[in-house]
Every structure is written in C-alpha cells, then in structure tokens.
Amino acid sequence: MRDDLVLRVVGRLLIPAILLFALYVQFHGDFGPGGGFQAGVMAAAGIIFYSLIHGLVATRRIVPDWVVETMVAAGVLIYASVGLAGILLGGHYLDYSVLSSDPIHGQHRGIFWVEVGVAVTVCGVMLKIYYMFASRGGAED
Amino acid sequence: MAVAVWAIAFTRNLFSVVVLSGVYSFLMATVLVALDAVDVAMTEAAVGAGVSTVLLLAALRLCKSEEAKPAHKPWLPLAVSVSTSVLLVYGAWGLPDFGDPEAPIHKNVVPRYLNNEVDVPNVVTAVLASFRAYDTLGETVVVFTAGAGIIALLRRRKKNPDNKGGGA
Amino acid sequence: MLAHFTNVITVFLMVAGLFIITARGNLIKKLVGLSLFQTSVYLLYITPGKLIGGTAPILSPAYTVYSNPLPHVLILTAIVVGVSTLALGLALTVRIREAYGSIEEDEILALDHSVEDDEARESH
C-alpha cells in the first residue's frame, strides 16, 4: 500500500490530527468526555494507521519495541506510585487529598497522574499486540 | 443492528464477518450516545470499530479466511439459545421499567457521585479515577497482564538473540 | 412491553452471541460471537442508568437531571479489558493454527483423537 498516493496524503493529514485529538481527549477528560482509556486507544490507533500505510518496519523505526515495552510497564508503575505517594504523604493508598495542601487540588493532581498511567499502559499494550500480530506473518514490508 | 448480527451468524467468509462486526460496533456506539453514555460510546467507537477490527484482520492474515461448512446441524445450540432467551425475557419482566427514576440503581451511592465533591465536571472521570481508583488500578493490571500474555505467546525466540527481556 | 423493550434487545444480542459460540466451529467466529455477547452486557449495564429527560453525566449549571454515571465507568473499563482479552484469544488461535494447521474445532478434535488412537495402538 506504500505507493498509493491518496492513502499517503490522507494519512499525512489525518495522523497528526488523530494524535493531537488523543492528547486533547487525555487532558480535557476532566471537563468533557474522555480520559486515559480513550486517549491511549486513540494514540495507538493513530500509530497503527501509520503502520498500515508505511509498513511495520518504518513504524518500528519511529516507535521501537523497547519504547513500547517500557510503556506497558511504566503506566502501571505510575498508577501504583501515585498510590504510594499518598501513603508517604500521610494518607491512605490512592488517597489523593494529601497530594497538595488543598484537598481539591490534590484530587485533581491525583486524577491527572492516574489518567496518564492508564493512557500509557493502554497505548503500549495495544501497540505491542499489533506489533506481535503483524510481525508474526513473516516477510511483510 | 439485528441485520448485522444475523449476517455475522450466517456469513461464512470470515473477512466479511470482521468488517460486519466493525459496522456493528459503530451502530452500538450510536446507541450508547442515545443512552447518554458518551464516554463509553467514544471508547466503543475507538476500540470496537478501530483496534479490534485491525487485530482480527491481522489474525485472519495468519489463518484461513474461509470458514468450513458446519459439520453438525445447529439444532441443539439453537434449542439451547431459544430456551435461554425465553427464560431471560421472562426474568426481565421483574426488572424496573426503562428510565424509571425510582429504580434502586439511582438511589444508593450515585447522588454522592453527582454531588461534585472533587470538583471535576465529568462525573465519569471523577468516579473512574478517584472514587473507584482501586477498580481502575485492577483493570490497568488486567490490561498489562493480557499484554504480557500475548508477548509470551507470540514472541519469537530464535530470531532476536539480543532481545531477551520480558515474557517467553 | 415498551418498558422492557431494551431488555428484549439485550437478550436477543446475548442469545445471538451464545448461538454463534456454540453452533460455529471456527475459532475466530467464536471470538466474534464472544464480543457480541460482551456488547449485550454493555447494554445490560447502560440501559438501566438512562433517565428519561436526563443528559450525559457532565455537570453543568444548565441541567439538573443526569443519567447514572456508575455503569458508564464500569463498562468503559470493561471495553478496554475486553479488547485485551480478545487479542489474547486471537493469539491463542494463531498458536493453535501453527500447531494443528487448522482453526476448525472439529478438525482439531479429530486430529487429537487420531493421535490418541495411534498412541493406544503403539502401546499394545
């Protein structure tokens, strides 16, 4: 599919928009529909779209395997360490109110980091699954 | 949606089955918007129609894309399905009416959620990340585990001698 | 009847998924049936949360009636977990295909039986 001009041009237009929209969904999740799960899936879908057009090898150059595998684990660790930060600051596990001097602000901070963790893990797992299936079939460009 | 389901059940070409299930996911997403579940609809559209279609196609590429003619007549499964559905519909008559504001589901913990204690306008995000943070941690771990399982199942050991970390 | 129409739809989808899982031998078809079954569960959770005249649960001074946010949270995570488990199932299918050369349940069972028969004959 590499030589298809229409696909390449449309992809070039759409992929940045998809990734940007994923970030919007991530950080605007407090006020509108959205959050870590959706943002992670959308970012992964954007990268998978790129790889459908330009091939797996080109995608692996941009987002290499070790980055994806690190993302899979890092998201869970971010989430868990937000909980631990609550304990260290004198609260319960996953209690966000102590993360800042103002409980409401602390809640916002906690929700933000938890959503980041979710998005990173989901995006990493989706990409890893796709890489695994796509690289299985042998010589694909 | 019923047409899509019918077609999925009786089409033998797996490629069309996968595309039909993508269509079905989009229809499901519109239904979810009509039911006020915008967050869920967004996820369903991105996951059901996007990622899972791509994954099914990727798996199809590794397998045969034509289903064999069924060896048995489907009378026993049909009988089981029909009797299950009769039982379930009978049971559904005992549930509260659709849209009933007095239903128990709206009475227990939900008024507290809608009280906006954490000052986040999107209640779904607030409940997801704050009130029910343990649930979400568990779900994230499940997703992580599924990823690890797939790495363990599909990793090629011989071709990547310098890439030893993780599963398998 | 109308009050329970949504439940009837849910039951129809659930049973269609059940039928595909039990009646079809192809493993990928079974997985598609499983995800149909799963979407019926989404409906089962989401429909009781809807209030007539309610809006999506995003707080704003303009509205007072909101649909129930709790099922949305549960199903939101269920969808993502669902796709992960679907992918796990597909991975298993691919491995089965590599080991048996087939993804039809009947053929796989026949292969297993013939292997058992051979072993039984050798031990005699």
Side-chain angles (χ1 to χ4, degrees), chain A residues 14-45:
Chain A
L14 276 183
I15 289 167
I18 292 175
L19 293 180
L20 194 64
F21 186 63
L23 286 178
Y24 167 78
V25 164
Q26 167 78 34
F27 296 118
H28 201 257
D30 293 0
F31 309 102
F37 283 101
Q38 292 95 327
V41 174
M42 276 177 200

Side-chain angles (χ1 to χ4, degrees), chain C residues 14-110:
Chain C
M14 182 176 280
V15 169
L18 184 69
F19 176 75
I20 295 177
I21 295 170
T22 48
R24 297 286 178 250
N26 188 297
L27 292 177
I28 289 187
K29 192 80 168 275
K30 274 182 197 286
L31 284 171
V32 174
L34 202 62
S35 44
L36 266 186
F37 201 113
Q38 215 171 18
T39 49
S40 83
V41 177
Y42 305 160
L43 272 188
L44 179 71
Y45 268 65
I46 299 286
T47 45
K50 164 77 176 164
L51 281 177
I52 293 187
T55 57
I58 295 168
L59 300 177
S60 134
Y63 299 101
T64 51
V65 183
Y66 300 101
S67 290
N68 194 332
L70 186 54
H72 300 184
V73 176
L74 302 177
I75 295 308
L76 182 61
T77 49
I79 291 179
V80 179
V81 170
V83 74
S84 317
T85 47
L86 173 75
L88 196 63
L90 286 174
L92 282 172
T93 311
V94 169
R95 289 306 295 257
I96 288 174
R97 155 89 180 167
E98 284 169 4
Y100 287 88
S102 164
I103 52 169
E104 298 288 336
E105 201 184 22
D106 297 328
E107 294 173 16
I108 294 169
L109 283 177

Side-chain angles (χ1 to χ4, degrees), chain B residues 53-69:
Chain B
T53 307
V54 171
L55 290 181
L56 279 166
L57 287 179
L60 267 191
R61 199 168 57 80
L62 303 176
C63 303
K64 215 167 39 174
S65 72
E66 198 71 23
E67 189 187 6
K69 222 174 161 56

Side-chain angles (χ1 to χ4, degrees), chain B residues 1 3 12 16 19 24 31 37 39 43 57 65 68 70-71 87 90 94 96-97 122 126 132 138 152-153 155 163:
Chain B
M1 223 151 77
V3 177
R12 209 167 294 140
S16 15
V19 174
Y24 169 82
V31 170
D39 287 83
T43 321
L57 287 179
S65 72
L87 266 179
Y90 174 70
D97 290 351
N122 186 355
R132 288 186 166 255
L153 278 171
R155 165 158 301 208
N163 195 356

Side-chain angles (χ1 to χ4, degrees), chain A residues 5-18 46 49-50 53-54:
Chain A
L5 185 69
V6 176
L7 267 183
R8 285 180 71 100
V9 172
V10 171
R12 195 156 289 171
L13 285 175
L14 276 183
I15 289 167
I18 292 175
F49 186 29
Y50 180 85
I53 297 172
H54 296 270

